[in-house]
Amino acid sequence: QRKDKGKYLAGWIRALLALILVGVLSFCGLFACVMYGAYDHIQGEPEVMVILGCQVRQDGPSVLLRDRLDEALDYLEDHPDMTVVVSGGQGPDEPTSEAQAMADYLTAHGVEEEKVLLEPDSHNTAQNLDYSRRLLDREGIDTSDGVLLVSNGFHLTRARMLAERAGFEQVSTLAAPASHLPSRLYMYVREPLALVKSFLFDRAG
C-alpha cells in the first residue's frame, strides 16, 4: 500500500512538473511575440499617426507617456503633414483626459493644433483603437495608406493585433523606449498575459 501511495504521489508530481513546463514554455513563446513587436515596423508612408494613451499625473504625462510623445515628435519633425490622433480617456486619479494631456504636450512642442484629433473616451487599448478608427471615419480621413501606432515597445504586438481587429488595414508601429526601469520590467512580465487576454476577449464594438 505504501508503494502504491508512492507511485500515486510520483504521478501527481510528474503531472505538476509537466504543467509547469508547459506554462513556462507558453510564457516564453508569448514573450518572444512581445519582443518581436517591440521595434519599429513601418510600411510605406502612413499619413495618420495614433498615439496610445498612458497615465497622466498631476504634473503632466507620466514617464512612459512622455516617452511615447517624444518619439512621436521626433518622427513628426520629418513628417509634419501627418494627422495625429491622441487616444485616451480620463481615469479617476487623472487630472484630465490622456488625450487632452497629449494634445497639450504636442502643441507645446510645435505641432500644429489643427493636425491633432482628440479621442478622449477610451479606457483600454482595444477602445483606443476602435474609437480612433471611428473618429477618423467621422472626420472623413483616409487611412488606406496605413496608420502608424506609437507606444512603448512592449505594448506594440498587442496594439497591432487590436488595430487590425478594429479595422485598420495597414498597420505600422513606432516603438518608444520605456525610460522608467521598474515600469519596463513590470510591463514585460505583464504584457504576455495581457496579449492572451486581449486575443480572447477584446473585440471591436
Side-chain angles (χ1 to χ4, degrees):
Q1 192 174 4
R2 195 173 293 171
K3 270 188 185 179
D4 290 342
K5 279 186 179 177
K7 284 181 182 178
Y8 181 75
L9 183 60
W12 272 105
I13 291 172
R14 283 195 297 271
L16 179 60
L17 291 174
L19 283 173
I20 291 171
L21 180 61
V22 168
V24 169
L25 291 175
S26 298
F27 183 86
C28 288
L30 291 164
F31 184 79
C33 291
V34 170
M35 290 303 298
Y36 174 77
Y39 301 93
D40 297 349
H41 293 275
I42 300 176
Q43 307 173 61
E45 291 288 337
E47 295 182 1
V48 175
M49 173 187 284
V50 177
I51 308 174
L52 301 177
C54 191
Q55 181 73 39
V56 173
R57 305 194 183 282
Q58 295 299 323
D59 59 350
S62 61
V63 174
L64 290 181
L65 186 52
R66 284 202 309 273
D67 288 337
R68 300 178 191 192
L69 293 164
D70 289 340
E71 192 71 22
L73 286 167
D74 285 346
Y75 190 86
L76 289 168
E77 281 187 15
D78 296 323
H79 305 82
D81 294 329
M82 294 186 81
T83 297
V84 182
V85 178
V86 285
S87 178
Q90 181 176 3
D93 56 347
E94 294 178 308
T96 186
S97 72
E98 294 166 10
Q100 186 63 61
M102 288 190 280
D104 292 344
Y105 190 94
L106 293 175
T107 54
H109 288 78
V111 178
E112 296 176 21
E113 189 173 345
E114 59 268 23
K115 294 286 185 184
V116 182
L117 298 177
L118 278 71
E119 183 291 291
D121 300 315
S122 55
H123 293 284
N124 57 48
T125 305
Q127 289 179 0
N128 285 154
L129 294 157
D130 186 28
Y131 296 178
S132 293
R133 181 191 55 77
R134 295 181 189 208
L135 173 61
L136 289 162
D137 287 347
R138 286 197 303 272
E139 295 290 329
I141 294 173
D142 183 15
T143 59
S144 60
D145 287 330
V147 62
L148 178 62
L149 305 183
V150 183
S151 191
N152 307 100
F154 59 76
H155 191 207
L156 287 172
T157 294
R158 184 160 60 99
R160 174 189 289 275
M161 176 186 74
L162 292 171
E164 291 171 350
R165 192 175 283 178
F168 290 112
E169 293 180 5
Q170 184 172 309
V171 180
S172 296
T173 54
L174 186 63
S179 300
H180 189 247
L181 180 60
S183 295
R184 182 164 76 243
L185 295 175
Y186 169 72
M187 289 297 181
Y188 273 114
V189 172
R190 173 187 178 275
E191 195 61 26
L193 305 177
L195 187 60
V196 174
K197 178 259 181 190
S198 286
F199 178 77
L200 294 175
F201 299 113
D202 287 341
R203 303 285 167 182

